[in-house]
Amino acid sequence: MELVASEARTPSSVRDPRESWRVHIADSLSGLEVEGLREARSIADVGAGAGFPGLPLAVALPEARVDLIEATTRKCEFIERAVAAAGVENARVVCGRAEEWAGGEPPEGGREAYEAVTARAVGRLATLAELASPLLVDGGVLVAWKGRRDPEEESEMDRVATRIGMDRERVRWVGPYAGSRNRHLHILRKRGPTPAELPRRPGMAKKRPLGT
């Protein structure tokens, strides 16, 4: 994973390898504390960015298939270089919007194809849950990396839970050894089949959240 710290065109602003380990690698691997993620054999990382948390999780979970979903071409190209340089055979880059990928059936798409979805620094809980729902199998888990807890954000999520088929299960603080002292992992569970209205058109989950 040294490429992430040293590659001149990396999407990450962190350059010091030791700081990169704490901010990115250790932070990503904190997700292994969640049993549903640790035992998943199919994982989608939504808004993969520079490859976190998806790429470290793929290395740590060699039996799992990990798809890194990213809409920005430049970031996709960087992740592809990182995957090739690290020789991570169980990771694949999906360059496109999560909503578009969730609209197609496997193998051309990812609708209800994953046991777990991860998201780190992508958006509000309700937005992340809406994006994750059509990707997850019934009973699948979303693990969202967030900072300081926001009661209004969590209430917003509760208001849309039934509509998007996702329930908040628990919140785990991982501050001492993750990328932020206020780091929390939000664990949400899919309940039942994907609601008929999902996925919405690309960008709508962020522009017009269902809970507002």
Side-chain angles (χ1 to χ4, degrees), residues 91-133:
R92 173 179 65 164
V93 179
V94 176
C95 198
R97 300 294 294 261
E99 302 96 324
E100 294 172 334
W101 184 244
E105 301 290 338
E108 289 78 20
R111 186 173 183 84
E112 298 184 344
Y114 303 97
E115 296 174 11
V117 169
T118 59
R120 179 175 180 254
V122 176
R124 295 177 69 80
L125 279 176
T127 298
L128 299 178
E130 180 180 335
L131 294 176
S133 180

Side-chain angles (χ1 to χ4, degrees), residues 28-29 31-32 37 43 53-62 64 66 90 118 145:
S28 297
L29 295 179
L32 295 175
L37 177 57
I43 301 169
L55 194 49
L57 290 173
V59 174
L61 301 170
V66 181
N90 60 322
T118 59
W145 275 247

Side-chain angles (χ1 to χ4, degrees), residues 11-85:
S12 171
S13 62
V14 180
R15 295 293 185 267
D16 187 315
R18 291 171 296 181
E19 185 70 0
S20 179
W21 177 268
R22 183 185 68 84
V23 171
H24 292 313
I25 308 300
D27 189 28
S28 297
L29 295 179
S30 66
L32 295 175
E33 294 210 358
V34 180
E35 182 179 8
L37 177 57
R38 186 173 64 248
E39 296 184 352
R41 290 298 173 261
S42 52
I43 301 169
D45 184 21
V46 173
F52 305 107
L55 194 49
L57 290 173
V59 174
L61 301 170
E63 300 302 316
R65 171 177 56 88
V66 181
D67 285 347
L68 300 108
I69 305 173
E70 173 55 51
T72 304
T73 300
R74 177 180 64 87
K75 294 179 181 179
C76 291
E77 292 171 348
F78 172 79
I79 304 171
E80 288 172 344
R81 294 197 303 271
V83 168

